[in-house]
């Protein structure tokens, strides 16, 4: 498969570059900026993208690639900091004192060229302090904006291009065309990275990797582990053993629905372990969020270990590690790699002496969803919002009791039903209800009530790292509020959370 290698200089947008390139059907991988020449050549990229970054190219610790990168004969596109690197490493000059430019700008094309072909003039997104003062040797200006006389450059002979703006971000109108021109026309990439090709490859790789061994998979009920199990089922059939632990802290009827999905839809039996009592007992009286997480993580491992004993021929554990986790572990300096991940089965492979099979190591979340759809996982399942491993335990603030779990499950069900009815579910990245440990006074009929408060939270996000609160229409909020208060005993007040992340987190605990 022909591919683009993206060198990460620490931009917050590096992952978005990879996603955008893959969206046009071209395979892209991210590597640290200080990759060696030999490793890069072994990867045989058809093109290289130098990402943006927070540094100044002249700074003391400014990250630079190995110097001969421009002499390899491989097409290069530098974005923002990447453009400035092209400049200073080829005798150009970057102006450190130029005014900062942040936000939209109008791109004006100065000269016909392959990179910007098909664009007449369009809105681009700028985010830089430094800018180019003089051109590097052998380069020419191909576009400018009002504030950046040098907004895009090329050395057509060497196939090296640079843009001061960010083609990967949504606000750059023709960003996709620019990346497509680079990948297809300049780098000449013909192969197509599709979900279908991923599945075929992954199935072969899994078969080669595990041979005749048996594999265990922990099914949490989330999208990643479900799609993982279905992929493995396609690859190794009945050598796959799935275990699902019902923690009693799932959404309403979630474990039942999951069992049905596998039983009926995929004709596959899943080992169900009912751990509700154990989880409840161990969480009794616990109110500290981190302690809740620790108890749940430990109990999960204990129960999983017991369940896995049934399959003592198994040598492998399947894990739904995604690409952002992998990039994090090959950490480069800079903000692009500060990805928070929650490993719910962390420690399991070591404890159980199992080897890991991780077929999603190169996928983004959206791509896992696409793989799921292609493998026949129903839409209602694939499009589900993320759900945290500790489940409702971190949405019930304060003590966890069977009564409070029941109240929150009901509120959450009504909330999700109503946003689906309003056609908003797919516009929201994550929506859920939270139960507060405080009571307040209300009045229902002629009676005074003194009951709990329920918080509704809904956010938009790309990866959960940052999030905006969702502007929920008032009429939808009104419906949800009256249904929750009328239908659920124990809640007499509903509030909507209007905190973004940062400064808030998505979950309340
Ligand atoms: P926060 O609350 O950190 O959440 O802004 C970001 C995303 O992570 C999920 N989350 C968790 N997922 N185990 C998980 O598997 C956890 O302990 C955990 N805590 C938060 C959260 O639902 C959101 O999608």
């Amino acid at each position: 498969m022909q591919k683009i290698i993206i060198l990460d200089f620490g931009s917050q947008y590096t992952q978005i570059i990879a996603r955008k390139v893959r969206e046009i059907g071209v395979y892209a991988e991210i590597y640290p900026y200080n990759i060696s020449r030999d490793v890069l050549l072994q990867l045989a990229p058809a093109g290289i993208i130098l990402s943006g970054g927070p540094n100044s190219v002249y700074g003391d610790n400014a990250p630079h690639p190995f110097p001969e990168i421009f002499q390899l004969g491989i097409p290069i596109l530098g974005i923002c900091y990447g453009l400035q690197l092209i400049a200073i490493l080829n005798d150009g000059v970057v102006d450190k004192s130029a005014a900062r430019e942040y936000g939209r700008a109008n791109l004006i094309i100065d000269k016909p060229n392959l990179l910007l072909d098909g664009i007449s003039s369009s809105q681009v997104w700028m985010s830089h302090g430094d800018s180019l003062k003089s051109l590097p040797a052998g380069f020419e200006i191909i576009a400018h904006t009002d504030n950046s006389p040098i907004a895009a450059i090329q050395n057509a002979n060497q196939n090296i291009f640079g843009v001061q703006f960010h083609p990967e971000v949504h606000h750059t109108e023709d960003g996709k065309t620019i990346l497509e021109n680079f990948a297809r026309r300049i780098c000449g990439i013909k192969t197509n990275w599709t979900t279908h090709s991923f599945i075929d490859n992954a199935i072969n790789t899994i078969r080669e990797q595990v041979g005749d061994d048996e594999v265990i998979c922990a099914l949490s009920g989330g999208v990643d582990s479900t799609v993982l199990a279905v992929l493995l089922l396609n690859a190794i059939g009945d050598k796959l053993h799935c275990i699902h632990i019902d923690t009693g802290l799932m959404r309403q009827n979630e474990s039942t629905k999951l069992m049905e999905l596998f039983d009926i839809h995929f004709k596959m039996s899943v080992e169900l372990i009912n751990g509700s009592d154990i989880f409840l007992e161990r969480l009794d009286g616990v109110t500290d969020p981190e302690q809740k997480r620790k108890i749940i993580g430990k109990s999960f491992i204990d129960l999983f270990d017991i369940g896995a004993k049934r399959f003592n021929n198994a040598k492998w554990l399947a894990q739904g590690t995604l690409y952002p986790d992998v990039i994090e572990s090959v950490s480069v300096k800079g903000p692009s790699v500060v990805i928070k991940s929650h490993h719910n089965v962390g420690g399991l492979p070591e404890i159980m002496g199992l080897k890991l099979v991780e077929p999603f190591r190169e996928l983004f979340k959206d791509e896992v969803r696409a793989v799921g759809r292609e493998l026949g996982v129903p839409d209602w399942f694939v499009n589900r919002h993320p759900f945290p491993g500790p489940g409702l335990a971190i949405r019930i603030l304060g003590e966890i009791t069977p009564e409070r779990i029941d109240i929150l499950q009901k509120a959450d069900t009504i909330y999700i039903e109503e946003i689906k009815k309003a056609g908003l579910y797919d516009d929201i990245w994550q929506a859920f209800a939270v139960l507060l440990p405080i009571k307040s006074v209300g009045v229902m009929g002629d009676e005074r009530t003194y009951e709990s408060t329920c918080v509704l939270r809904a956010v938009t996000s790309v990866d959960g790292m940052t999030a905006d609160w969702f502007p929920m229409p008032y009429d939808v909020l009104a419906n949800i509020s009256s249904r929750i208060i009328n239908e659920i005993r124990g809640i007499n007040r509903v509030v909507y959370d209007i905190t973004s992340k940062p400064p808030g987190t998505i979950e309340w605990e």
Side-chain angles (χ1 to χ4, degrees), residues 293 340-344 386-391 394-395 429-430 432 463-465 501 504-509:
R293 276 197 174 78
K340 176 172 153 195
S341 56
H342 306 275
H343 299 285
N344 298 306
F387 187 68
I394 55 168
R395 294 179 179 170
W429 196 75
Q430 198 172 9
F432 54 90
D463 50 14
M465 295 304 302
K501 172 184 180 178
T505 50
I506 296 177
E507 302 290 346
W508 271 52
E509 284 197 334

Side-chain angles (χ1 to χ4, degrees), residues 412-426:
D412 195 70
T413 303
I414 291 175
Y415 183 27
I416 300 299
E417 261 174 32
E418 288 299 321
I419 55 177
K420 280 191 174 162
K421 226 188 272 174
L424 298 172
Y425 187 79
D426 291 337

Side-chain angles (χ1 to χ4, degrees), residues 10 76 204 224 241 273 280 366 368 419 425 451 457:
I76 293 181
N204 287 334
D224 301 344
H241 305 294
I273 300 177
L280 263 181
D366 304 352
V368 173
I419 55 177
Y425 187 79
E451 288 173 348
R457 178 103 167 113

